[in-house]
Amino acid sequence: GNSVTQMEGPVTLSEEAFLTINCTYTATGYPSLFWYVQYPGEGLQLLLKATKADDKGSNKGFEATYRKETTSFHLEKGSVQVSDSAVYFCALSGARKAAGNKLTFGGGTRVLVKP
Amino acid sequence: GAGVSQSPSNKVTEKGKDVELRCDPISGHTALYWYRQRLGQGLEFLIYFQGNSAPDKSGLPSDRFSAERTGESVSTLTIQRTQQEDSAVYLCASSFSGTSLNEQFFGPGTRLTVL
């Protein structure tokens, strides 16, 4: 079946540091890949997505590139801010022609950015 | 409403009791999903609705779990004879349709605690 593995946290960084959160996946076919973010006290929201190999998703200074050869979708940001403190989830969907778009999530990575 | 809403936000119940969790999706969204997040874990898919039918129930963990959707709108997730391992945050999401190009919007969740 489908699975997503992402690095465990917590990840603690200083402001303006470089952030990488590794994510690898297992799926048959050609899944779509997502990063979701959950800020403290808020609901889960989509951060970025990529729907085919070599696509780069980007939003709010974050980027992730769909690498089919390494089955990876690592999240990066060049200079984090305190406001980036959150839990980040890597997810995939649509790997098979199953009904719907159910998401398979990784375990989440908590990021804490200190001033 | 502007987003997906869920009620109650918190539910504490005794082992063996039945509970009902409610989800109000974004108006016009035909696809609706239920997930759960147990402490320290990623989100697990439970069930997917397209309109009022549920073509994918593969994530329901046992026959104590059931869900329905009426009027292509509100959905209720029912857990009968609750057990302590049912304690989790139950999240509902909706999307315009059930394809991978449509973002899923998540509600704030219902935190269920089974004593």
Side-chain angles (χ1 to χ4, degrees), chain B residues 3-48:
Chain B
V4 178
S5 60
Q6 293 185 245
S7 61
S9 55
N10 279 285
K11 176 72 176 178
V12 180
T13 190
E14 293 180 348
K15 178 181 172 181
K17 296 286 180 68
D18 298 352
V19 296
E20 278 193 358
L21 312 180
R22 176 186 171 108
C23 171
D24 284 85
I26 293 172
S27 178
H29 280 192
T30 62
L32 186 148
Y33 306 81
W34 283 97
Y35 298 87
R36 76 174 175 182
Q37 183 177 21
R38 288 189 277 193
L39 188 63
Q41 300 184 25
L43 282 75
E44 307 169 73
F45 167 79
L46 298 178
I47 187 169
Y48 155 67

Side-chain angles (χ1 to χ4, degrees), chain A residues 32 34 36 38 42-46 49 51 89 93-94 98-108, chain B residues 33 35 37 40-45 48 55-56 58 91 98-108:
Chain A
S32 295
F34 306 83
Y36 279 82
Q38 189 169 32
E42 298 185 18
L44 205 61
Q45 54 188 277
L46 179 65
K49 69 179 181 183
T51 58
F89 294 90
S93 77
N101 178 31
K102 63 185 180 184
L103 293 165
T104 300
F105 285 87
Chain B
Y33 306 81
Y35 298 87
Q37 183 177 21
Q41 300 184 25
L43 282 75
E44 307 169 73
F45 167 79
Y48 155 67
D56 191 346
S58 62
L91 290 163
T99 71
S100 62
L101 297 179
N102 288 285
E103 177 181 351
Q104 290 185 33
F105 294 85
F106 282 80

